[in-house]
Amino acid sequence: MISEIETHEERNERINKEIITLTAEQKNAIDTGVLNQRILITGPAGTGKTLIATELAGHKSKEDSKVLFLCFNKLLAENLKNKYLDQKFDIYNFHSFLLKNSTLSVPSNPDENFYNNILINNSFDYVIEHDIVYDYLVVDEFQDLSSKDIFIYLDRILMGGLTAGNWTFLADFEKQVLFKRG
């Protein structure tokens, strides 16, 4: 008689295998992203958007493209940086990228105006002055970064801008809009 109850170790092993195995839909999304210059991928939490995003960033970086991976969540960016140390693409959460490419430091009590206006404008001037441009842009958690000012900023740092540039945006507009913007 075979037991249908998994041990803790068996369950962990099975789940870890499932996590790293791409589904047919994920493979299709990656193939579509490779073949198209601009793509918006939407789906609820847990559908593998971040996995798709990192796969596409890794693929494009192997083509000798300068690749930038942005997300909103700072912990996600730190986790991905550690996981993809050997990859040739830049990984940042959006505000860390702004700070890296600015002349400012975070004040002791920053308000929304600092992040949404002062920092973004200072970084915009900095990337113009230092000609910081990427060939390919991946934005995960895009639902939290979709505002007019951020569009203008992304347009500036992407070769060809948003209209003619090479980008992939991944979002869950229905269930994961954490920070409402106008």
Side-chain angles (χ1 to χ4, degrees), residues 61-113:
S61 69
K62 289 176 185 166
E63 296 176 349
D64 290 330
S65 293
K66 186 176 176 188
V67 176
L68 175 62
F69 179 105
L70 291 175
C71 60
F72 184 81
N73 186 299
K74 187 176 182 177
L75 292 176
L76 174 61
E78 290 172 10
N79 184 335
L80 293 175
K81 275 185 182 183
N82 291 330
K83 186 174 181 178
Y84 295 100
L85 286 172
D86 60 335
Q87 295 290 328
K88 297 187 323 184
F89 57 91
D90 296 339
I91 301 172
Y92 292 95
N93 86 305
F94 183 69
H95 293 105
S96 294
F97 184 79
L98 292 177
L99 282 167
K100 177 189 176 292
N101 295 293
S102 76
T103 59
L104 301 174
S105 56
V106 180
S108 57
N109 290 316
D111 59 7
E112 218 175 282
N113 185 52

Side-chain angles (χ1 to χ4, degrees), residues 81-173:
K81 275 185 182 183
N82 291 330
K83 186 174 181 178
Y84 295 100
L85 286 172
D86 60 335
Q87 295 290 328
K88 297 187 323 184
F89 57 91
D90 296 339
I91 301 172
Y92 292 95
N93 86 305
F94 183 69
H95 293 105
S96 294
F97 184 79
L98 292 177
L99 282 167
K100 177 189 176 292
N101 295 293
S102 76
T103 59
L104 301 174
S105 56
V106 180
S108 57
N109 290 316
D111 59 7
E112 218 175 282
N113 185 52
F114 173 77
Y115 287 106
N116 295 335
N117 295 312
I118 296 169
L119 179 58
I120 217 168
N121 290 328
N122 182 274
S123 183
F124 190 86
D125 293 340
Y126 185 94
V127 297
I128 289 172
E129 183 180 330
H130 293 88
D131 196 28
I132 297 170
V133 179
Y134 285 85
D135 301 314
Y136 180 62
L137 176 63
V138 178
V139 182
D140 196 8
E141 303 175 319
F142 181 66
Q143 71 276 358
D144 293 316
L145 294 171
S146 57
S147 74
K148 182 180 82 170
D149 291 335
I150 292 174
F151 282 138
I152 292 167
Y153 186 87
L154 296 177
D155 186 71
R156 174 59 188 90
I157 63 170
L158 180 62
M159 179 70 70
L162 294 175
T163 304
N166 195 354
W167 53 260
T168 299
F169 294 162
L170 302 98
D172 178 357
F173 292 108

Side-chain angles (χ1 to χ4, degrees), residues 7-78:
T7 67
H8 178 72
E9 291 80 19
E10 290 169 333
R11 179 174 167 75
N12 277 345
E13 185 176 328
R14 180 182 54 80
I15 289 172
N16 284 328
K17 281 182 184 176
E18 288 174 5
I19 288 171
I20 61 170
T21 303
L22 294 172
T23 67
E25 266 188 9
Q26 291 166 334
K27 286 179 184 176
N28 185 40
I30 291 167
D31 291 342
T32 301
V34 167
L35 296 173
N36 292 280
Q37 282 192 305
R38 290 169 294 287
I39 184 169
L40 172 65
I41 297 172
T42 62
T47 55
K49 294 183 301 293
T50 300
L51 177 62
I52 293 166
T54 54
E55 286 289 320
L56 287 170
H59 177 80
K60 296 290 184 173
S61 69
K62 289 176 185 166
E63 296 176 349
D64 290 330
S65 293
K66 186 176 176 188
V67 176
L68 175 62
F69 179 105
L70 291 175
C71 60
F72 184 81
N73 186 299
K74 187 176 182 177
L75 292 176
L76 174 61
E78 290 172 10

